[in-house]
Amino acid sequence: MTRNDAVRMVALCLVGLVACKSSSSTEDPAEPDAGPVAPKCVAPTGDGTIHKLQALESDDEVWTAAGSPHVIDFSLTIREGQKLTVEPCAVVQLKRGVDIGVSGELVADGEQDRPIVFERAADTAWGRIRVQDEGRARFAFAKLVGGGLISTSQPDRTATLIVDGDPHSPVGVQPLVRVDHLTIEGSETLGALLVENGSFSDDSRDLTITGSQSAPVRLWQRAVSSLPTGTYTGNQNDELLIDGGDFGDYEIVGDVTLHDRGLPYRVTYASLRVGSSESAGTLTIEPGVTLRFDPKLSLHVWAKSTGEAATGTLRAVGTADKPIVFTSASATPAAGDWVGIIFKGAPSPNNRIEHAKIAYAGGGSTYSSYDCVAPGETTSGDDAAIVFATSAAGPPSAFVANTRIEHSAKFGITRGWRGDPIDFLATNEFANVASCWQTHPRGADVNGSCPSPVPCPQ
């Protein structure tokens, strides 16, 4: 260490910006968090800096704390190749409906005691910060307050922070935004919206979303792994919304994990689909997660056709103390509200469902005649809480265990395959199932023979 370096280190120690110790000492154990740190920022005075242009004045622009508040009159675009850096303690004020579009780079790295604030310049909400697929943004120790102006009748279709990727991205999800101690507060719509492969970076952490007039966040299926640690309560709708989108490649491919973030996930607008016709995908669900499904939706573990090996794999392994719950999103749930968990094609040997509960499923699956028609059944519809639909062999083992299936509108488990009748009754529990707890698979011969009578345990 040079003499100048040593002098600088001493100065930093004196102001408490770094932790200092003798170079010969051993590593100290981590100390507990001391709690919130009082900001050292000085409240801005005067008119600040007025930004009337719709683009940056230079390709590398810095908005200083001394120039605060930075008032944006018109929607601003950070173009590709441009960079806007917002200094610690800076205050950015946006007028009604004003957006910041990021196709270049936005860096808003505050410090624990010197946060950055984006806030309203008037009593009405500003618009949104929208990071496009060619853009990047970083937020550390920052606040986005009072944004998300509602522009449609659907408050869960826009947000204060929008991460908008390329739906046909050849690399799949795009980590466009990094957050570290970011708070999104008082949004008139969603707090954050991640669509079309846009996602948070893997090292994002400590995101707080509160006071939103909708849910805290809505994510495309592929982006669910990227939801950071943090706090997502105190919103009008404390659910984490998962949406497939209306176009593009939205199915889960690669390895995706639904983390337990303390709130239920709600599958809305499109069924949750694991794997695509061309690519493999694995969905892992952590213990304690609850998944709620809107009407007619399902969790679909995919295959290109019912006669081929599945490209999707489901790993939903809870614990006795923290089971995984699949259920209806209705405020007054009823049997058949949602479809259930569907395994299309020959199931992966890596599927596991353990210590789970599947409730209020058994709605119309659109699959039929893959199993044997049970006595008293007037149709061959294969509707159940869990549906196997394959013209090939069934699963290699009874991978559903220690699971309760309840309030199914039809069957508990449809064993729609060709081959031996693998038993799911031994370790699972069934309650208020309208018909057979498990149906009987067709025989392995070419005619798909069925026993007579067809067994129907109830």
Side-chain angles (χ1 to χ4, degrees):
M1 178 182 292
T2 67
R3 183 177 183 276
N4 287 340
D5 289 337
V7 171
R8 182 175 180 274
M9 181 61 73
V10 170
L12 290 174
C13 292
L14 291 175
V15 299
L17 294 180
V18 297
C20 302
K21 56 187 176 183
S22 169
S23 60
S24 62
S25 67
T26 58
E27 187 70 22
D28 295 327
E31 295 184 3
D33 187 354
V37 174
K40 295 181 179 178
C41 302
V42 177
T45 58
D47 295 334
T49 307
I50 310 300
H51 300 272
K52 292 183 175 295
L53 299 177
Q54 293 177 291
L56 296 182
E57 296 184 51
S58 67
D59 288 343
D60 192 355
E61 194 163 317
V62 178
W63 290 6
T64 65
S68 296
H70 294 268
V71 181
I72 306 179
D73 277 350
F74 304 101
S75 290
L76 175 71
T77 299
I78 304 171
R79 295 173 178 153
E80 194 168 356
Q82 293 185 321
K83 179 180 179 180
L84 171 61
T85 301
V86 183
E87 280 191 346
C89 285
V91 175
V92 179
Q93 295 182 343
L94 300 95
K95 293 194 174 180
R96 172 184 168 84
V98 166
D99 300 338
I100 299 177
V102 183
S103 295
E105 186 177 3
L106 170 62
V107 177
D109 285 342
E111 299 168 3
Q112 188 173 13
D113 58 352
R114 302 175 69 213
I116 294 168
V117 178
F118 294 77
E119 64 183 13
R120 296 179 179 183
D123 292 335
T124 54
W126 52 278
R128 55 207 56 84
I129 298 175
R130 187 184 197 112
V131 185
Q132 309 270 23
D133 67 286
E134 65 273 15
R136 297 293 184 271
R138 296 204 319 261
F139 300 94
F141 295 100
K143 283 188 174 184
L144 312 181
V145 184
L149 179 70
I150 188 167
S151 56
T152 70
S153 60
Q154 296 177 301
D156 58 347
R157 305 294 280 192
T158 190
T160 293
L161 175 63
I162 299 179
V163 186
D164 190 356
D166 175 1
H168 305 293
S169 167
V171 297
V173 293
Q174 300 169 286
L176 306 181
V177 175
R178 181 184 186 271
V179 301
D180 179 3
H181 291 83
L182 172 67
T183 296
I184 302 175
E185 183 179 314
S187 179
E188 195 170 278
T189 50
L190 291 165
L193 171 63
L194 281 64
V195 294
E196 299 175 3
N197 281 318
S199 75
F200 293 112
S201 65
D202 290 341
D203 59 347
S204 288
R205 62 177 185 167
D206 292 306
L207 173 61
T208 296
I209 302 178
T210 190
S212 299
Q213 296 305 300
S214 180
V217 64
R218 175 170 156 244
L219 313 94
W220 248 31
Q221 298 183 14
R222 289 185 178 181
V224 294
S225 281
S226 77
L227 187 64
T229 56
T231 303
Y232 300 93
T233 56
N235 304 282
Q236 183 167 304
N237 175 19
D238 278 340
E239 294 178 305
L240 307 170
L241 306 183
I242 303 177
D243 175 20
D246 300 320
F247 62 91
D249 304 315
Y250 66 87
E251 309 94 333
I252 288 174
V253 296
D255 294 324
V256 170
T257 299
L258 272 180
H259 299 289
D260 182 6
R261 294 298 186 230
L263 291 180
Y265 292 87
R266 180 169 183 163
V267 181
T268 184
Y269 296 106
S271 290
L272 192 58
R273 198 160 101 179
V274 185
S276 71
S277 296
E278 306 298 332
S279 302
T282 297
L283 174 63
T284 299
I285 304 176
E286 289 185 343
V289 166
T290 292
L291 270 168
R292 298 174 177 171
F293 291 81
D294 276 358
K296 300 181 180 180
L297 300 186
S298 65
L299 197 172
H300 215 133
V301 185
W302 197 250
K304 189 171 184 178
S305 73
T306 57
E308 298 188 33
T311 58
T313 299
L314 175 63
R315 308 274 300 174
V317 182
T319 65
D321 294 336
K322 298 182 71 175
I324 295 168
V325 178
F326 304 87
T327 189
S328 166
S330 173
T332 55
D337 276 352
W338 63 290
V339 175
I341 303 173
I342 299 174
F343 293 91
K344 179 182 178 183
S348 164
N350 297 318
N351 288 315
R352 286 180 67 192
I353 300 176
E354 295 182 17
H355 292 292
K357 181 170 78 171
I358 306 170
Y360 302 106
S365 69
T366 73
Y367 292 101
S368 64
S369 303
Y370 285 95
D371 59 351
C372 298
V373 180
E377 290 291 338
T378 57
T379 70
S380 56
D382 296 336
D383 304 334
I386 298 176
V387 176
F388 292 94
T390 175
S391 54
S397 64
F399 64 80
V400 181
N402 301 307
T403 291
R404 179 181 172 89
I405 294 175
E406 64 183 29
H407 302 293
S408 175
K410 199 170 184 184
F411 303 121
I413 299 176
T414 292
R415 297 185 294 175
W417 64 72
R418 297 290 183 96
D420 296 332
I422 296 168
D423 181 42
F424 288 95
L425 298 185
T427 64
N428 299 304
E429 184 180 357
F430 299 82
N432 299 312
V433 174
S435 189
C436 315
W437 288 351
Q438 64 180 9
T439 66
H440 200 280
R442 292 184 174 275
D445 61 73
V446 68
N447 295 318
S449 59
C450 291
S452 182
V454 176
C456 180
Q458 290 180 286

